[in-house]
Amino acid sequence: MNTPGGFGQYIRVPAAWVVPLPAGLTLRESMILGTAGLTAGLSVDRLSAAVAPERGPILVTGASGGVGSLAVAILAQLGYEVLAVSGKTDAGPFLKGLGASEVIGREQLANQRDRALLKARWAGAIDTVGGEILAAAIKSTESEGVVTCCGNVASAELNLTVYPFILRGITLAGIDSQSCPMSRRRKVWSHLAGDWKVTGLEQICQVVLLEEVSGRIDRMLQGRLKGRTLVDLGG
Ligand SMILES: NC(=O)c1ccc[n+]([C@@H]2O[C@H](COP(=O)([O-])OP(=O)(O)OC[C@H]3O[C@@H](n4cnc5c(N)ncnc54)[C@H](OP(=O)(O)O)[C@@H]3O)[C@@H](O)[C@H]2O)c1
C-alpha cells in the first residue's frame, strides 16, 4: 500500500509479495477480482469455516461495491442465502443477478443505536462499511454467528455493548488483506480460481481508460459505483 506504481504497466517488487496466477484464472479475471476479490474471499473463508449454509442467511453490506458484490456472488455460489444491504435504490437487479435473494435498504440498518441487541435475523454477516451498519449487523446476528469487518466507508466508529458477544457468542472477525500470510493468500486465490470462481465476472466490471480514472475515483468516493473498475492502460 505504500509502494508507488499502482497504475503503471510494470512494477518491480520483492518476489515474496507476488502470488503466482493460479490455473483457472486469466490475468484479466484476476484483475477484475483484484484486492476486492481477495478481501471478499478472505471474508468468506473466515465465515464459512464457522457458519454452514444450513445455519441461515448471510448479510452482506455495501453489497453493490467491489468487495460486497464479489462476496454476494461467492456466497450465493457456495449455497448460502444472501441478504444484500445497499444504499442504491436501483441496485436490486444487479444484486439479484449475482445471487442475492433479498435486497435490504441501507436505511433499515441505521439508527438502531439505542438497543443493545436486536431480533436475530441472520446467521452471519460480511460487512464492508463499518459504523452503525456494522453495529446493527452484529446486534441482529444469531447465536454463535460470525461477522467479518474489512472496511470503513460509512464510519470507522463502532458503538456497541458487550451483549452480542456475551449473550449470543458472536465472533467479530477482522479482515486485513495487506498483512495476511502468504499461505492464506494462496489458498484463497486458488478457491477464487476454482470452486469459488464467480461466473459472469465481466458483468461486474466496467473498463475505463487511464485518463478516466480520476473521474471514476470521484464517483467511487461518492459511493455511486457498482462492482469493479478495470483500467485499460492502452497496451
Ligand atoms: N481490510 C482490507 O484488507 C480491505 C481490502 C479492500 C478494501 N477494504 C475496504 O473495504 C471497503 C469496501 O471496499 P470496496 O472496494 O468494496 O469499495 P467500493 O467499491 O467503493 O464499495 C463501497 C460500497 O459501500 C457502500 N457505501 C458507500 N458509501 C457509504 C456510506 N456512507 N455508508 C454506507 N455504505 C456506503 C456502497 O454500496 P451500496 O450502495 O450498495 O450500499 C459502495 O458501493 C472500503 O472501506 C475499503 O477501504 C479493506
Side-chain angles (χ1 to χ4, degrees):
M1 285 183 9
N2 299 319
T3 302
F7 292 117
Q9 281 175 296
Y10 296 93
I11 182 171
R12 184 175 169 183
V13 296
W17 294 6
V18 178
V19 179
L21 183 71
L25 270 190
T26 64
L27 267 179
R28 182 181 170 97
E29 288 169 333
S30 76
M31 286 297 96
I32 297 176
L33 289 165
T35 304
L38 174 62
T39 308
L42 288 167
S43 307
V44 171
D45 190 46
R46 284 297 285 274
L47 187 132
S48 60
V51 180
E54 304 71 53
R55 288 264 302 275
I58 303 299
L59 190 81
V60 177
T61 68
S64 74
V67 179
S69 57
L70 289 163
V72 168
I74 297 167
L75 286 169
Q77 202 150 298
L78 292 177
Y80 288 91
E81 181 187 345
V82 183
L83 311 178
V85 179
S86 180
K88 296 183 184 76
T89 48
D90 65 347
F94 174 72
L95 291 167
K96 289 198 170 164
L98 295 177
S101 62
E102 195 182 322
V103 179
I104 300 174
R106 189 192 293 165
E107 70 291 344
Q108 290 185 39
L109 273 82
N111 299 318
Q112 312 264 19
R113 262 169 285 181
D114 50 333
R115 306 272 303 276
L117 281 171
L118 297 165
K119 182 175 174 237
R121 293 170 64 193
W122 35 80
I126 290 182
D127 176 70
T128 71
V129 303
E132 277 185 23
I133 294 174
L134 171 58
I138 293 169
K139 291 179 197 177
S140 290
T141 298
E142 286 165 9
S143 288
E144 300 297 317
V146 172
V147 178
T148 66
C149 156
C150 74
N152 60 354
V153 287
S155 171
E157 302 286 324
L158 184 57
N159 293 311
L160 278 174
T161 67
V162 295
Y163 291 120
F165 308 105
I166 67 173
L167 295 182
R168 288 196 184 147
I170 308 299
T171 299
L172 178 58
I175 303 297
D176 177 5
S177 62
Q178 190 200 7
S179 60
C180 92
M182 185 50 91
S183 57
R184 200 178 309 146
R185 278 171 206 272
R186 283 179 179 254
K187 173 188 163 195
V188 167
W189 275 112
S190 116
H191 277 308
L192 292 170
D195 53 340
W196 299 359
K197 186 159 180 186
V198 172
T199 50
L201 266 182
E202 292 289 340
Q203 277 112 62
I204 295 182
C205 155
Q206 275 193 293
V207 181
V208 300
L209 299 173
L210 192 54
E211 52 266 35
E212 296 172 299
V213 166
S214 182
R216 194 84 186 157
I217 288 174
D218 288 341
R219 292 187 61 212
M220 176 178 272
L221 292 176
Q222 291 157 6
R224 288 166 55 205
L225 294 187
K226 289 194 200 94
R228 297 280 295 154
T229 301
L230 203 59
V231 182
D232 179 356
L233 296 169

